[in-house]
Amino acid sequence: MVEIKTEQSIEAMRAAGRVVAHALAAARTAAAVGVELRELDRVARAVLDEAGAKSPFLGYHPSWAPTPFPAVVCASVNDAVVHGIPDGYRLGDGDLVSLDCGALLDGWAGDAAVSFTVGRARPEDTRLIATAEEALAAGIAAAVPGNRIGDIAHAVGRVSRAAGYGIPDGYGGHGIGRAMHEDPGVPNEGRRGRGMVLRAGMVLAIEPMLIASGSDDTYTARDGWTVRTLDTSRATHAEHSVAITESGPRILTVP
Ligand code: MG
Ligand code: MG
């Protein structure tokens, strides 16, 4: 079931989204060559604490995972696509980092992700990251009343494929509200004019993930969480929580 949010609910989600944006910005600022991933988690956790927000990631234990997720951010480096655990890994020169963070504030959720490089960036990584952001922007632009889920999926997928990148099979965006994951699913590739009709008051997390080699294949690492590319090529992730309104898409996870 898809919940239609009131204007007040969307305002409350905007507040949660702002906390997510601040946590991601702080963690990104802390990221540098030689810094451990767990330090990025500490920094994001401090922002959530300061705001009085809870983490929907911490302790999250879906049926497919062997253990509850132990952190407030997912930190996915290089060939890791999503769901990386921020551990003692020290960032190296040229690493490509994807950070995903959520917040629960006053009973409402926000969810966003950003990718960036540390140290000397490889040009191919810069292009991969820029394309994911472009795909996200295209998906957001399609998030208007009267369009369908397939229009968002098509917009995201078209930008990704045109650049020659792969789209991890089986992963995508989702509705978001009081829970981080709600209906409907928002695929990263699809056909125009298909799927559920979008209505004002729907809030969606749109989240392109791209694989540099053009392959769509991933596997889950032995930790039970980290999703890695099968061919070890690099991957990137960009995400915003977006409200569909009569006056156009409203991005909730910005400062
Ligand atoms: Mg996310
Ligand atoms: Mg999400």
Side-chain angles (χ1 to χ4, degrees):
M1 205 197 82
V2 174
E3 191 197 356
I4 298 298
K5 278 82 176 176
T6 64
E7 264 176 53
Q8 294 94 313
S9 300
I10 289 173
E11 281 311 317
M13 291 189 73
R14 172 73 182 102
R18 192 176 282 119
V19 175
V20 172
H22 287 152
L24 282 175
R28 180 179 184 160
T29 300
V33 174
V35 171
E36 293 183 4
L37 293 179
R38 62 165 64 104
E39 174 62 15
L40 309 186
D41 184 64
R42 270 196 290 270
V43 166
R45 209 177 281 233
V47 173
L48 297 191
D49 287 348
E50 174 80 12
K54 295 263 180 262
S55 169
F57 289 23
L58 186 64
Y60 182 58
H61 197 175
S63 55
W64 47 261
T67 52
F69 195 76
V72 308
V73 297
C74 298
S76 307
V77 179
N78 296 339
D79 64 313
V81 187
V82 286
H83 302 167
I85 295 171
D87 56 13
Y89 175 81
R90 271 182 203 283
L91 289 170
D93 191 28
D95 274 353
L96 193 174
V97 186
S98 299
L99 290 179
D100 193 342
C101 184
L104 286 168
L105 187 70
D106 298 327
W108 293 97
D111 183 13
V114 66
S115 296
F116 53 88
T117 53
V118 295
R120 283 165 299 185
R122 310 192 315 181
E124 59 268 38
D125 290 341
T126 304
R127 177 173 167 267
L128 183 67
I129 292 166
T131 305
E133 288 170 359
E134 198 189 316
L136 175 57
I140 291 171
V144 295
N147 263 2
R148 290 175 181 261
I149 289 288
D151 294 304
I152 297 176
H154 173 80
V156 169
R158 185 182 46 79
V159 172
S160 310
R161 293 293 187 200
Y165 296 133
I167 299 172
D169 206 13
Y171 297 91
H174 48 90
I176 182 168
R178 291 203 173 269
M180 178 169 62
H181 292 134
E182 295 186 349
D183 287 337
V186 185
N188 284 328
E189 189 164 36
R191 292 172 67 182
R192 269 188 187 133
R194 297 297 176 97
M196 182 182 291
V197 176
L198 306 178
R199 290 172 54 196
M202 288 172 63
V203 183
L204 304 174
I206 302 172
E207 49 181 314
M209 301 156 212
L210 303 184
I211 298 177
S213 64
S215 162
D216 299 349
D217 298 330
T218 61
Y219 70 98
T220 303
R222 219 172 286 175
D223 63 17
W225 278 100
T226 312
V227 176
R228 294 187 182 279
T229 60
L230 196 57
D231 62 9
T232 74
S233 74
R234 291 189 170 193
T236 191
H237 182 204
E239 178 180 23
H240 275 305
S241 299
V242 180
I244 294 166
T245 79
E246 292 297 351
S247 52
R250 183 176 179 202
I251 303 175
L252 303 178
T253 40
V254 285

